[in-house]
Amino acid sequence: MRTALRIAWREARASRAKFVFVILAVAAGVACLTGVKGFTRVFQTMLSREARTLMAGDLMIRTFSLPTREQQELFDRLEREGLQRTWITETITMLSKSGDAPPVLISVKAIDPKVYPFYGSVRLEPAQTLADALKPDTIAVSNDLLLRMEARIGDSVRLGGQPFRIIGTVQSEPDRMTGSLNVGPRVMMSREAIDRAGLMIAGSRASERFLFKAPPTIPIQRIRRRLQRVFDEALITDYTQTHPIVQNGLQRSSVFLSLVSLVALIVGSLGVGMAMQAHLQQKLDSIAIMKCIGGRSSQIIRIYGLQTLGLGLAGGVLGVVLGGGVQMMFPALIRRYFQVQASWAVDWVSALQGILIGLLTTMLFTLPPLLSIRQVRPALIFRREMGESRRNMRQWFENMKASIAAGTLIVLGIGAIAAWLAQSVRMGVYFATALLVSLAALSGVAWALLRGLHWLRERGPRAIRRLPGGAEIRHGLANLYRPGNHAGAVLVAMGVGVMFTLTVYLVQRGMVGEMVKSAPPGLPNVYLIDITPAQHDAVMKLLKDEPGVAEAPDMIGTVAAKIVTIDGSPLPRETLKGFARRYLRTAAVTSVGEKPSYTQVTEGRWWTGRPAEAELAVADDAARALDIHVGSRIDWSTPSRKFTSKVVAIQKTESVRLNARVEFVFSPGVLDGLPTIYYASVRVRPDLVGQLQTSIYRKFPTITVVNVADVLRIIQDVVNQIAVVVRLISAFALLAGAIILASSVAGQRFRRIREVVVLKTLGATRRSVVGVFSVEFLILGLVAGLMGAIMASIFAALVLKRMMDATPEINWLAGLACIGITAAIAVTSGWAASFQVLGRKPLEILREE
Amino acid sequence: MISVSRLTRTIDTGTHRVEILKGVDLEIPAGEFAAIMGPSGSGKSTLLGLLAGLDTATSGSILLDGQQIVGLSEDKLAVVRSRKIGFVFQAYNLIPTLTAEENVLLPAELQGLGGEYEQRGLDLLTRVGLSDRRDHYPVQLSGGEQQRVALARAFLMRPPILFADEPTGNLDSANGKQVLDLLLDLNRVEGTTLVLVTHDRELAGYASRRITLRDGLIVSDESTANSYAAQSADNAGRPHSL
């Protein structure tokens, strides 16, 4: 081993310039990987902070009863472990102003003002902190309460028989949408205040919410599991589930960022493999000489293996430093878009992981060229350019056994590393399969192309054999298939690199497109609740005429109905747990004619016209909870009458639509004559929401207006930020991919040198030489680009459909651009590495080489 | 001693089939200096490569000191090369990334031997007149100097057989003579079997035996009385023996 190390070091010492190139290739791959991982961590922290704002915590329990002793003990234990907790009570009660004015039904939210909220902030008018505002005898109210009661800030009101002073109005509340959407104006008060008011007595009906903030050292899912064991009837959610849009966005961005890390890994490794292969190709003579003077293959493999290890380690360390440096600089570059904290702390675990992965992938991808040392015959010294004897299949297989084993190891190794990085075995399997399929497909295409070219030149029609464009084109084409050419290897490496790099771009576009579709900028930000049939037309007219209303309001009519039996059996009270128990009570149901465009039928079919029998479409969540299928019969009861319906469809409606809140949709005519209450949603210019509230209250004082503008702004911000993050990171990965592809071609430089020399000696002009090699590079780039684009489209479609639940689309423009760009990179980088040779004398070059 | 029987070497690339050697029979006793001659393409370098175990015979047998080397695995051939054979190439074939001294010591290093060979290496460099150039890389040496380093490397392990493929082919006459004299001294003083490929009749004149190849077959095999071995040994200016 010491001898091998000594020889490896001596060899490296004299090839410093060439090794710098190899180290940089490794460093580029590792820098991309650690940079992307670093960005991922920074951005996910930032995104999850925004998402946490919507819940005002990391985790939430919602229940309708106070904690039992066992549950309280768990709370205490969790508190000792570092978990912070705060308690929110939401209920409805009556509030009255002094004098004869009639009392008003209000929603109450009692909080601990010193703790709540854990994330985000409640904005009061006049501006003050919650801790300063909410005392045992003060309350903050919504604007519509002041309107209804004709009250002002500072006025006194009575709640639970106790006097309270109105200290201010609540302008924004981060967890508005995760709280109870109770009707009536809202009042926020402290826990001491609700105790003083005596609102919570035995039997009072209230929603109890417990918010948690976890220390970074405790995974949220672990806390959730512990809570679920003890709170089996409560609804437990974490911050990623605050809103389906946010949930999908975070989940998809997480998958995407893992994908980019893995792509960076693959593309970087390819660069390394190509660089090492080019390096060993240049060492063929030295390897043959060592064999001539008694060196065994195993010794020589050890020498170059140690070199590879050293290069991998140097490149890995440099890559980690570069990746870390870029990660630190990045927040300064994107300050325009995000408030991201620059972190100066070194993440040693990530750094070590980056170095280890750089080393592993270097070794894996260098295995085939290292193993090929066994095939180097000492006779190479005598017969450098002459082809070897043709081998039969058995001999070919014997020689290829080691390469096949190395290839298998590479695929399995990359799959394992991918699974480790993405924390997902499925992702690892997908990646390994994609790599294997792409290698096999590209190798097949390369073989067919080169054979085809050779056949065309030797036996094709005369017109093709005598191609226009002269000797440059003929010679350039011939270069591709002549013995000793490595066009096949370059084609495969470039094609795989293009495939994975383009996949990043296609997945990013598909993902961002899907997010924009699910969270379009014109989402409704105001809800109107409790519109009577008599008010329906007048409200619609008011909304259409009101300034700042973006488009026609969405209005649905609902009827209160209760499920009696499903397929003849009553609802199973004992087995319905947690929030599924709400189906035991009256539900809001509706009827529509045509299927709305934002509703998707996942099973069965939507009705046409007005069916004779009552038909029903059930939301997929409700169908799952109640074990309802297409064909199920459900009996309903309302105060006016009973009726039966047949389930004809299971459906899924976009979560941002008003209809999404109604889980049971009937065919037309089923609910005719039943008491109907309407709900409307509308998009209003945020600064005009107050004006709309005033207009609605003045004409329709019984209608509740819910303003969720601030909440939607946060959701939109999260979605926009995810889109920007995804675009930035994929741009970085694309750039790194292009650099590494370029190095794959440039690494073949050494083969060109002698050829350039010979051509110049024979009288070729610089133009001719440029023409010959440009044809070769161009064809390599075009074919690699085409194959890479085809396979990228397939792989991206699989990732989008299977892992992100998004709809893939064929992107012709991206494919064509990819082919063009790959060809340009191949030609440019091929020449960038060799152009200086063109202007020099042949002997001068030979002496240096 | 070297014994060759019905040796053939054919290259089949699928489109072309080339019979380089068509059946060579040959015996070279220990200590002999044999020159292999012939026009370009006659197969002389191929024959030399096969005798040295650097190439694979298509058929036939080669015995080196009684050991059959046809059919041996690459690793076993490497052992034979390290213990029994020294090789000098026309193109010197030094490792460009190692210094002169490192090139000379490489055969011992590959066998895991150090110690005594380090001193021998230095002595050899001194004897070929390059001790002051030991730290120079091949690119910093002239053709003649590189070939002398290659000679020193070939002699390091005291091989019983030395093969040389046109050792003076790339050198001017002065350097060529110096290299030849060094080779001949080895043959004379240490009794090393020397097999040399050349197209130079004057050089071949120093050999005790001339074997001529044409189109892959031996067409003549003559012993010559006018060999260097038969001449007197008082050549002024002849370098020290190795």
Side-chain angles (χ1 to χ4, degrees):
Chain A
M1 183 60 78
R2 272 199 308 194
T3 307
L5 206 55
R6 204 165 41 237
I7 298 173
W9 168 247
R10 279 190 220 138
E11 274 246 297
R13 174 197 63 195
S15 310
R16 264 179 232 135
K18 288 172 188 167
F19 280 168
V20 163
F21 176 79
V22 176
I23 290 171
L24 285 176
V26 178
V30 173
C32 192
L33 180 67
T34 52
V36 165
K37 272 177 68 66
F39 304 153
T40 301
R41 213 176 30 259
V42 167
F43 284 122
Q44 282 187 327
T45 304
M46 182 191 71
L47 291 173
S48 67
R49 193 173 57 233
E50 293 282 352
R52 282 168 161 90
T53 301
L54 292 174
M55 183 180 273
D58 293 326
L59 206 61
M60 179 184 79
I61 296 176
R62 182 187 283 164
T63 178
F64 288 101
S65 55
L66 291 173
T68 62
R69 193 164 62 137
E70 189 191 2
Q71 291 165 346
Q72 186 60 49
E73 279 170 6
L74 176 59
F75 279 166
D76 295 338
R77 257 198 316 275
L78 289 171
E79 219 168 283
R80 286 193 293 273
E81 290 170 19
L83 211 68
Q84 291 175 268
R85 184 181 86 248
T86 191
W87 179 13
I88 301 170
T89 299
E90 288 165 313
T91 188
I92 50 175
T93 190
M94 302 301 285
L95 181 141
S96 60
K97 203 175 154 191
S98 309
D100 296 331
V104 170
L105 182 70
I106 58 165
S107 297
V108 169
K109 180 174 178 179
I111 52 121
D112 180 350
K114 294 191 204 63
V115 178
Y116 169 89
F118 286 131
Y119 300 98
S121 58
V122 174
R123 198 158 43 90
L124 298 176
E125 187 65 45
Q128 53 194 310
T129 64
L130 279 178
D132 287 338
L134 297 182
K135 305 291 183 201
D137 61 345
T138 58
I139 56 173
V141 303
S142 57
N143 285 320
D144 57 348
L145 183 92
L146 293 181
L147 284 169
R148 282 215 188 175
M149 304 207 76
E150 292 181 355
R152 286 190 301 222
I153 294 170
D155 283 356
S156 182
V157 293
R158 292 191 79 82
L159 208 153
Q162 297 294 323
F164 290 89
R165 189 163 53 89
I166 298 174
I167 199 67
T169 54
V170 178
Q171 296 302 311
S172 75
E173 201 179 332
D175 60 336
R176 179 73 180 91
M177 281 179 94
T178 52
S180 302
L181 274 185
N182 284 331
V183 298
R186 293 173 59 75
V187 165
M188 192 180 285
M189 59 201 311
S190 64
R191 293 220 66 87
E192 290 94 341
I194 199 172
D195 288 342
R196 180 168 158 267
L199 295 179
M200 304 309 301
I201 54 175
S204 295
R205 185 162 172 74
S207 160
E208 309 292 350
R209 271 201 296 146
F210 297 95
L211 294 183
F212 298 89
K213 183 176 179 182
T217 47
I218 306 180
I220 297 211
Q221 295 308 315
R222 199 189 301 168
I223 303 168
R224 187 179 173 148
R225 281 194 292 273
R226 288 170 70 182
L227 289 168
Q228 266 164 343
R229 278 198 284 272
V230 173
F231 285 88
D232 57 352
E233 296 227 347
L235 178 69
I236 301 176
T237 51
D238 62 55
Y239 71 92
T240 64
Q241 297 170 293
T242 49
H243 194 285
I245 294 174
V246 170
Q247 185 175 356
N248 285 338
L250 286 176
Q251 189 256 335
R252 283 176 184 153
S253 68
S254 173
V255 170
F256 176 78
L257 292 170
S258 295
L259 173 76
V260 172
S261 299
L262 297 172
V263 167
L265 173 71
I266 292 282
V267 175
S269 305
L270 277 171
V272 165
M274 292 301 294
M276 284 310 295
Q277 195 199 35
H279 170 61
L280 286 175
Q281 283 293 315
Q282 290 182 271
K283 293 295 171 187
L284 279 182
D285 279 0
S286 297
I287 291 168
I289 292 166
M290 278 196 257
K291 287 197 174 187
C292 285
I293 56 176
R296 293 187 296 280
S297 294
S298 58
Q299 286 173 304
I300 301 171
I301 289 174
R302 212 174 302 143
I303 290 167
Y304 290 102
L306 283 170
Q307 250 183 22
T308 305
L309 213 64
L311 292 171
L313 194 60
V317 169
L318 182 62
V320 162
V321 169
L322 286 174
V326 174
Q327 188 189 321
M328 284 181 196
M329 277 173 12
F330 207 65
L333 296 172
I334 57 163
R335 198 168 288 141
R336 242 186 97 191
Y337 300 102
F338 304 115
Q339 293 302 317
V340 177
Q341 295 295 328
S343 166
W344 300 99
V346 175
D347 184 346
W348 291 108
V349 173
S350 288
L352 282 170
Q353 188 184 42
I355 293 170
L356 185 64
I357 289 174
L359 211 53
L360 275 172
T361 50
T362 304
M363 291 307 301
L364 276 176
F365 277 80
T366 322
L367 260 181
L370 278 177
L371 289 175
S372 70
I373 286 174
R374 290 159 55 254
Q375 262 87 54
V376 174
R377 317 294 297 177
L380 183 73
I381 299 297
F382 302 114
R383 209 166 28 250
R384 193 162 286 122
E385 294 299 336
M386 197 165 172
E388 269 304 324
S389 285
R390 193 180 186 176
R391 297 183 286 255
N392 60 31
M393 282 305 293
R394 193 187 63 83
Q395 285 169 325
W396 178 87
F397 184 71
E398 279 298 317
N399 284 334
M400 290 301 288
K401 258 193 317 199
S403 296
I404 292 169
T408 307
L409 198 61
I410 286 173
V411 170
L412 291 176
I414 290 294
I417 293 172
W420 178 30
L421 275 178
Q423 301 285 304
S424 160
V425 172
R426 191 163 68 137
M427 185 69 117
V429 169
Y430 277 5
F431 233 75
T433 308
L435 183 61
L436 184 64
V437 167
S438 60
L439 283 172
L442 278 164
S443 300
V445 165
W447 180 86
L449 169 75
L450 300 177
R451 282 273 188 191
L453 276 173
H454 192 200
W455 182 87
L456 270 177
R457 287 282 295 125
E458 299 295 318
R459 299 194 183 107
R462 203 181 177 82
I464 291 177
R465 278 185 281 141
R466 293 187 62 79
L467 277 167
E472 287 90 354
I473 294 185
R474 287 198 296 277
H475 199 70
L477 285 175
N479 268 355
L480 288 170
Y481 57 78
R482 65 152 200 238
N485 188 299
H486 297 278
V490 174
L491 196 61
V492 170
M494 281 191 78
V496 171
V498 168
M499 172 195 158
F500 281 106
T501 307
L502 184 62
T503 297
V504 166
Y505 177 75
L506 293 175
V507 169
Q508 170 254 112
R509 274 190 72 93
M511 200 187 110
V512 170
E514 197 72 23
M515 282 195 314
V516 167
K517 258 197 301 188
S518 69
L523 278 179
N525 56 1
V526 174
Y527 292 103
L528 279 65
I529 299 173
D530 280 351
I531 303 168
T532 64
Q535 294 167 328
H536 175 280
D537 292 345
V539 167
M540 287 293 279
K541 185 173 184 313
L542 183 150
L543 289 174
K544 280 182 189 140
D545 295 340
E546 192 67 22
V549 173
E551 51 189 49
D554 206 2
M555 178 107 58
I556 57 166
T558 63
V559 166
K562 190 171 167 185
I563 297 175
V564 179
T565 62
I566 299 176
D567 289 328
S569 306
L571 289 184
R573 304 182 83 85
E574 309 74 34
T575 51
L576 278 175
K577 291 267 187 235
F579 264 61
R581 292 180 71 80
R582 69 182 186 279
Y583 297 113
L584 296 169
R585 301 190 293 271
T586 303
V589 303
T590 190
S591 81
V592 303
E594 263 181 38
K595 181 182 78 70
S597 59
Y598 42 76
T599 293
Q600 186 195 351
V601 172
T602 56
E603 262 180 74
R605 46 110 200 128
W606 202 264
W607 46 82
T608 46
R610 200 178 166 109
E613 188 187 3
E615 294 185 350
L616 177 64
V618 180
D620 52 359
D621 286 342
R624 233 183 339 263
L626 296 172
D627 197 24
I628 292 172
H629 307 281
V630 171
S632 295
R633 290 203 164 273
I634 303 180
D635 294 323
W636 297 86
S637 80
T638 70
S640 312
R641 58 179 164 90
K642 295 178 169 35
F643 57 93
T644 301
S645 62
K646 182 175 150 193
V647 176
V648 298
I650 308 296
Q651 55 92 357
K652 192 172 169 154
T653 296
E654 282 176 22
S655 55
V656 296
R657 304 292 174 181
L658 200 56
N659 286 31
R661 297 180 182 276
V662 181
E663 297 175 286
F664 302 95
V665 181
F666 289 90
S667 52
V670 177
L671 303 176
D672 287 355
L674 292 171
T676 306
I677 287 291
Y678 290 90
Y679 295 83
S681 64
V682 66
R683 173 82 185 176
V684 183
R685 225 175 73 193
D687 59 321
L688 292 174
V689 170
Q691 188 175 317
L692 174 69
Q693 276 182 299
T694 307
S695 302
I696 294 280
Y697 173 68
R698 289 227 165 92
K699 290 197 175 122
F700 309 102
T702 57
I703 293 176
T704 301
V705 178
V706 180
N707 174 14
V708 292
D710 279 343
V711 170
L712 282 173
R713 184 192 52 75
I714 292 172
I715 293 172
Q716 200 68 55
D717 279 351
V718 169
V719 168
N720 291 341
Q721 284 170 1
I722 290 173
V724 173
V725 162
V726 156
R727 286 187 182 118
L728 278 171
I729 289 181
S730 67
F732 178 74
L734 289 171
L735 181 64
I739 291 171
I740 289 164
L741 280 175
S743 71
S744 301
V745 177
Q748 302 297 309
R749 160 189 187 278
F750 72 95
R751 290 198 307 103
R752 313 285 168 209
I753 304 297
R754 283 191 179 268
E755 212 167 315
V756 167
V757 165
V758 169
L759 287 172
K760 281 162 73 90
T761 309
L762 295 174
T765 60
R766 274 185 282 188
R767 187 182 155 282
S768 302
V769 174
V770 168
V772 167
F773 292 122
S774 296
V775 166
E776 191 184 339
F777 295 142
L778 191 64
I779 291 176
L780 281 177
L782 285 172
V783 175
L786 176 64
M787 284 305 298
I790 291 171
M791 289 190 298
S793 299
I794 298 169
F795 189 43
L798 272 171
V799 170
L800 280 167
K801 204 162 164 54
R802 292 280 173 95
M803 302 198 75
M804 295 188 177
D805 199 26
T807 312
E809 284 171 5
I810 297 179
N811 193 327
W812 294 107
L813 191 60
L816 287 169
C818 171
I819 295 169
I821 291 169
T822 310
I825 289 174
V827 173
T828 312
S829 54
W831 279 116
S834 320
F835 80 95
Q836 59 183 346
V837 167
L838 287 178
R840 294 166 60 193
K841 294 278 183 294
L843 267 184
E844 211 181 306
I845 301 158
L846 279 175
R847 278 202 200 100
E848 278 181 11
E849 293 293 320
Chain B
M1 110 144 172
I2 303 169
S3 178
V4 179
S5 171
R6 290 204 291 264
L7 189 65
T8 67
R9 180 67 171 108
T10 306
I11 301 278
D12 185 354
T13 62
T15 50
H16 300 93
R17 187 183 162 88
V18 179
E19 285 185 277
I20 304 174
L21 295 176
K22 294 172 184 174
V24 170
D25 295 286
L26 183 61
E27 289 216 1
I28 301 175
E32 184 161 86
F33 173 11
I36 301 177
M37 300 181 63
S40 284
S42 57
K44 48 185 195 297
S45 292
T46 300
L47 175 61
L48 203 73
L50 287 168
L51 295 180
L54 302 181
D55 200 355
T56 310
T58 305
S59 66
S61 134
I62 303 172
L63 292 168
L64 292 184
D65 266 359
Q67 182 180 10
Q68 173 65 256
I69 65 168
V70 172
L72 274 189
S73 69
E74 192 49 44
D75 278 354
K76 287 190 175 133
L77 276 172
V79 174
V80 170
R81 281 183 228 126
S82 68
R83 288 185 189 155
K84 295 194 178 182
I85 295 167
F87 208 106
V88 180
F89 300 91
Q90 180 178 4
Y92 332 130
N93 284 327
L94 299 179
I95 306 281
T97 50
L98 304 180
T99 62
E101 184 180 6
E102 287 163 353
N103 266 287
V104 169
L105 292 174
L106 193 56
E109 271 196 316
L110 287 170
Q111 302 313 310
L113 303 167
E116 74 274 25
Y117 284 97
E118 282 181 28
Q119 188 55 52
R120 176 157 168 84
L122 280 172
D123 290 343
L124 283 169
L125 275 172
T126 304
R127 283 164 190 171
V128 299
L130 290 172
S131 58
D132 58 336
R133 310 293 295 277
R134 59 201 256 206
D135 292 327
H136 288 216
Y137 289 94
V139 72
Q140 295 168 307
L141 303 172
S142 70
E145 288 164 342
Q146 289 189 54
Q147 193 64 299
R148 281 186 272 154
V149 172
L151 277 176
R153 180 179 69 185
F155 297 158
L156 183 75
M157 305 299 284
R158 294 191 179 87
I161 307 170
L162 190 88
F163 295 107
D165 183 13
E166 308 256 22
T168 60
N170 286 359
L171 304 176
D172 58 70
S173 52
N175 276 308
K177 184 162 189 324
Q178 193 176 17
V179 165
L180 181 62
D181 286 344
L182 287 169
L183 274 172
L184 296 179
D185 263 347
L186 176 68
N187 171 243
R188 185 178 60 82
V189 171
E190 300 210 8
T192 305
T193 307
L194 177 58
V195 181
L196 183 143
V197 160
T198 184
H199 59 265
D200 185 344
R201 294 203 75 84
E202 190 187 335
L203 175 56
Y206 290 100
S208 58
R209 182 172 169 190
R210 279 202 296 270
I211 302 162
T212 306
L213 257 71
R214 194 189 306 276
D215 295 330
L217 288 167
I218 294 178
V219 294
S220 81
D221 184 351
E222 52 185 12
S223 292
T224 167
N226 191 29
S227 66
Y228 186 84
Q231 289 176 0
S232 67
D234 59 344
N235 288 326
R238 195 173 65 217
H240 292 289
S241 68
L242 294 151

